[in-house]
Amino acid sequence: MWNALSHAQTPLWHVYFRSWTSVVGQPPPWWICDLLSRVVGERVGEEMVQEARLVTPSEALELGLIDVVAPAGRAVETAVQCLQPKLRLQDHARAVVKKQRREVFARQMRDRLAEDRSWFVNTITSEHMQRTVATYLESLGKR
């Protein structure tokens, strides 16, 4: 079974994420920053994005990014146990609450789609970014 947390901690992924954000200078889109800050708080979220900081499973649990840390062999069993209380909720009530909590954010994402696309294309195709990426890729080739 693929484990996102352990995968994110592998050196290759860690180097890629840190490099893209810190070395190349392409920050993640606003909505990633916003979603992260909603969970861990403004200050911690901003620091995590600026530093391209990944967290261990125990840190993710402490920050509230995950609900439980389960051994790889018991991931599905643990997930089922965590979802059992949700199955006792009324579907309609749960759906209404989810919609209310996500509606404003979803509207913001729709409203800013063209702006986000334009920002990304302009940033990634800028002469400065192209030089930065080329220089970085060359440095990787020399390793």
Side-chain angles (χ1 to χ4, degrees):
M1 177 183 295
W2 186 77
N3 182 326
L5 284 176
S6 62
H7 178 72
Q9 294 302 315
T10 61
L12 179 63
W13 174 253
H14 200 253
V15 167
Y16 167 78
F17 182 75
R18 283 190 175 278
S19 297
W20 190 252
T21 304
S22 303
V23 177
V24 177
Q26 176 70 30
W30 70 270
W31 51 270
I32 289 178
C33 303
D34 192 57
L35 288 173
L36 182 62
S37 293
R38 286 177 178 211
V39 176
V40 301
E42 287 292 325
R43 183 173 170 268
V44 173
E46 186 174 327
E47 287 174 352
M48 288 178 72
V49 170
Q50 288 177 351
E51 298 167 4
R53 182 168 32 128
L54 297 175
V55 295
T56 64
S58 58
E59 290 170 318
L61 182 62
E62 187 178 311
L63 289 169
L65 289 169
I66 59 175
D67 296 319
V68 66
V69 176
R74 296 193 52 218
V76 173
E77 176 186 336
T78 304
V80 169
Q81 287 174 349
C82 290
L83 290 174
Q84 286 300 322
K86 305 274 190 256
L87 295 174
R88 290 192 277 282
L89 300 174
Q90 293 292 323
D91 285 343
H92 177 72
R94 186 179 49 78
V96 168
V97 169
K98 286 175 76 169
K99 183 179 179 190
Q100 288 173 340
R101 297 291 304 142
R102 293 174 172 92
E103 194 170 347
V104 172
F105 185 74
R107 188 176 327 111
Q108 287 176 328
M109 286 194 70
R110 283 190 301 272
D111 292 348
R112 293 179 68 174
L113 183 60
E115 177 187 340
D116 287 348
R117 192 177 299 131
S118 176
W119 172 80
F120 177 78
V121 170
N122 290 338
T123 302
I124 204 71
T125 59
S126 72
E127 191 174 320
H128 170 73
M129 182 62 72
Q130 290 295 306
R131 278 194 315 270
T132 303
V133 170
T135 302
Y136 178 66
L137 291 175
E138 287 172 16
S139 75
L140 290 177
K142 294 176 185 175
R143 289 184 183 181

